[in-house]
Structure formats: C-alpha cells, structure tokens
Amino acid sequence: IEAHQLYIDIACPVIAKEPLVSSLPVGLTLAEVEKRLIFETLAREKNNRTKTAKALGISIRTLRNKLHSYRTA
C-alpha cells in the first residue's frame, strides 16, 4: 500500500472564504473565541442565521440560544 492509495476525499461542509477569526489575543477563553467566531461568521453571511448555523455546523436553534445568551449577559 502506498500513501496515495490511503487518501480519502471527504467533502468538507465548511470552506472558509477567508480567515474567520483574524487575530486572537492570548488569554481569551474558549467562550470568548466561540462568541467571536459566531459574530464573524454571522457578518460574513450577511446576518443570515440559517447560513451561519450551517457554516458553523450547529443547529439554528443552538445559534439562536447562543445569540440570546450574549444579549442577556
């Protein structure tokens, strides 16, 4: 078996058009990184929540709940 025989072409559902998180300062929590990623993806998708949820690999309900929690925090 050679290396090229092991290659499996897996379609990736998310292909970033550009870096989503342009720069991350040291010391951010995972929650802060997640929040930035959500808002940057939302902006990239022109505030379309359905496309944003799909790009992030989460349900629209999860996205809605996260956005709600950011507003009430």
Side-chain angles (χ1 to χ4, degrees), residues 57-68:
I58 60 176
S59 70
I60 187 72
R61 178 178 231 154
T62 298
L63 178 61
R64 185 195 69 212
N65 291 340
K66 287 185 179 294
L67 291 172
H68 178 74

Side-chain angles (χ1 to χ4, degrees), residues 5 28 65:
Q5 294 171 312
L28 284 180
N65 291 340

